[in-house]
Amino acid sequence: MAQEPSLLDTRRHQMFPHLEEQDIARLRRFGEVSNFPDGAFIMKAGEVAPGLAFVLKGAIDVRQGGAVSRGESITQHGPGGFLGELAQLSGRPSLVDAIARGDVEAIVLPPRRLRDVLVQEAVLGERIMRALILRRVGLLQLGQAGPILIGPAGSGDMLRLENFLRRNGHPHRALDSVSDPCAQTLLKRFVIQPEHLPIVLCPGGQILRNPTESELARCIGLLRPIDPDMIYDTVIVGAGPAGLAAAVYAASEGLCTIVLDCRSFGGQAGASSRIENYLGFPTGISGLALMARAYNQAQKFGAEISIPEEARLLAAGGTNGVRFEVRLGSGASVKAKTLVLASGAQYRRLGIPNLSDFEGTCVHYWASAIETKLCAGQEVALAGAGNSAGQAAVYLAEKVKKLWMIVRGRSLEDTMSQYLIDRIRALSNIEVVLRTEICGLEGGESSLSRVRWRNRDSGAESEHAMSHIFSFIGADPNTDWLEGSGIALDDKGFVITGAGGSHLLATNCDGIFAVGDVRCGSVKRVAAAVGEGSTVVSAIHAYLARQRAREEQKAAAE
């Protein structure tokens, strides 16, 4: 089978556009001209670079970087080209090495000034932004940049770390410690014992032994300290469709904005293998790709995004304009004038006593290339009947031998869009089992061997040999962290908004709003969440205006 062409083959002219002299002239007012001698590092993997470098004279070699990299060449930028990718938009550590060839003269734009270019120079900014995104996608496709993960393929911790990096759009390599010769060489070199696996080799040379997601994020520069003295106009808790939409509109309208999420950007929408009913994408788009665009868009307008950073407690603020303080799992806190609750929902778990024995290795809440690689050519079961379940079933059916779709209800029509139902029925290797639920799992050592399900009407059970199941049975509101805050919740834990004639998205606490799936009465659709996220910004502006008016009246009275 012919290999699928890479982005370098199909979109090189967009990844590496050539800027004309008039383009360079427009950039001069945003940056400063810097000189680099032959052989100097302009960027180093694992270190924060000064910014994008637009080449005026000489050339810049871009190559794979990192402590154990072979330094293979990626590309070279000459006059009219520019060095950088999405890491430079947000001021995060570089993923590659870049070395001056000859005496190099370049205009260097730090992240803040780069964002000014993207906003003020629309046409030129569009070309630059497209190139930054495509270069990141190219690095993801290449699989030779970023941290190196080494551990047993398919183990719970390897899957946990791989999924974290993948869901946050961060390039990485994953090597099987059992079968990969390169992995075995590295383990011997660094004297790593089996009980310490998986390990992560960060680009800066640090070695992490089975790290948490936060430890990994801090090591690679994905998660940075939050300024304890900063007072944000708005803090958005949750980076799903609603939270990212709120961030894009708030930041683009000049509000000082920060977004917090404990896992990754995209929320549950990021788990959708293909969304085909979202306005403007007639051929469909994966949830992760759609949410990655929103994530980059929010950063383009200057929103600060902190992932993974878990909101643990909400408290009333103090003086100097601070209305609220969100205390974080890291021990830090964030001060804000307003708060947007966009924390969405958390995956509902199957009611099986030994479920936790298989979660992370054999029971999956996400259907991506990582999971499908584990179960390719096998029989699998999928529980659920919503659109997310339907999208996952269609995606998995291309990879597996047979998929059993376990549905509690009497029909798919009650909960799923018709286009997905039609597609499922057209696939010969999907068998839909109605009025049925999974009731038992058997296996050992985190290895699933058999699955039992039961008919809800007759009570009859059947048993099937399989090693992986996928659970898409809905979600519960992610509001446990609001306990004791005084924010009104309904009997299911969703945030109540719009009571007493207030704004539709306003909670019972003045200055706190709720959007998306976490809100009582919301429509559980990506488009609806995006709509609420964009709408809430006008309510934030109105609230801040009222606060300013009160402060002015108070000052005048004094």
Side-chain angles (χ1 to χ4, degrees), residues 68-88:
V68 294
S69 168
R70 294 188 294 270
E72 295 179 6
S73 176
I74 296 175
T75 190
Q76 184 179 89
H77 301 293
F82 64 91
L83 167 69
E85 56 94 46
L86 285 175
Q88 283 66 63

Side-chain angles (χ1 to χ4, degrees), residues 148-159 162 173-189 192-201 373:
I148 299 174
L149 281 58
I150 301 176
S155 68
D157 286 317
M158 276 291 282
L159 291 175
E162 284 185 77
R173 287 176 69 190
L175 305 180
D176 185 355
S177 58
V178 176
S179 62
D180 190 293
C182 181
Q184 293 169 357
T185 299
L186 289 171
L187 293 178
K188 290 178 182 178
R189 173 179 169 184
I192 303 298
Q193 302 302 317
E195 59 268 24
H196 295 148
L197 296 176
I199 64 165
V200 180
L201 305 180
K373 185 178 179 181

Side-chain angles (χ1 to χ4, degrees), residues 259-279:
V259 182
L260 310 171
D261 198 289
C262 63
R263 292 183 184 85
S264 62
F265 64 78
Q268 290 196 64
S272 296
S273 56
R274 180 159 295 272
I275 301 173
E276 295 185 65
N277 58 354
Y278 188 75
L279 189 68

Side-chain angles (χ1 to χ4, degrees), residues 231-470:
I231 301 173
Y232 293 91
D233 290 323
T234 189
V235 170
I236 301 167
V237 181
L244 290 176
V248 167
Y249 281 86
S252 67
E253 293 179 18
L255 296 178
C256 183
T257 304
I258 186 170
V259 182
L260 310 171
D261 198 289
C262 63
R263 292 183 184 85
S264 62
F265 64 78
Q268 290 196 64
S272 296
S273 56
R274 180 159 295 272
I275 301 173
E276 295 185 65
N277 58 354
Y278 188 75
L279 189 68
F281 291 90
T283 58
I285 184 172
S286 75
L288 187 59
L290 180 65
M291 292 298 98
R293 294 183 184 196
Y295 173 73
N296 295 328
Q297 194 174 15
Q299 292 182 99
K300 166 186 172 180
F301 289 116
E304 187 177 338
I305 301 180
S306 192
I307 299 174
E309 193 69 89
E310 183 177 10
R312 288 280 183 87
L313 184 65
L314 170 64
T319 57
N320 300 323
V322 180
R323 285 275 293 139
F324 308 104
E325 185 173 338
V326 180
R327 294 168 192 168
L328 308 175
S330 62
S333 62
V334 185
K335 300 171 184 175
K337 299 175 184 177
T338 66
L339 185 67
V340 177
L341 308 178
S343 49
Q346 51 197 345
Y347 296 115
R348 193 171 294 153
R349 300 171 73 243
L350 296 164
I352 300 171
N354 63 340
L355 180 69
S356 60
D357 295 344
F358 305 103
E359 286 179 309
T361 53
C362 308
V363 176
H364 311 286
Y365 300 92
W366 178 280
S368 72
I370 295 173
E371 289 79 21
T372 53
K373 185 178 179 181
L374 297 174
C375 60
Q378 302 177 26
E379 287 196 19
V380 301
L382 183 148
N387 275 2
S388 293
Q391 290 158 355
V394 170
Y395 175 73
L396 289 167
E398 297 180 1
K399 316 290 183 182
V400 301
K401 179 181 178 181
K402 181 172 183 177
L403 185 141
W404 297 84
M405 195 165 189
I406 312 302
V407 178
R408 285 170 54 88
R410 296 188 180 279
S411 72
L412 292 177
E413 280 79 2
D414 293 340
T415 52
M416 190 181 295
S417 295
Q418 189 62 47
Y419 82 94
L420 286 169
I421 296 172
D422 293 342
R423 192 163 297 167
I424 286 169
R425 287 175 176 164
L427 292 168
S428 60
N429 64 335
I430 295 181
E431 183 166 342
V432 179
V433 187
L434 301 174
R435 296 293 294 161
T436 302
E437 57 190 0
I438 294 176
C439 61
L441 305 175
E442 297 178 10
E445 296 291 331
S446 300
S447 178
L448 181 65
S449 58
R450 305 191 73 80
V451 178
R452 295 197 315 277
W453 51 78
R454 177 175 54 234
N455 184 278
R456 301 183 68 203
D457 298 321
S458 68
E461 292 188 7
S462 59
E463 187 174 280
H464 303 262
M466 60 184 64
S467 302
H468 296 274
I469 64 172
F470 293 79

Side-chain angles (χ1 to χ4, degrees), residues 519-546:
R519 189 178 70 83
C520 173
S522 66
V523 178
K524 305 301 188 278
R525 288 288 187 271
V526 174
V530 170
E532 291 187 10
S534 59
T535 301
V536 75
V537 177
S538 63
I540 293 172
H541 280 300
Y543 169 81
L544 292 174
R546 291 195 302 271

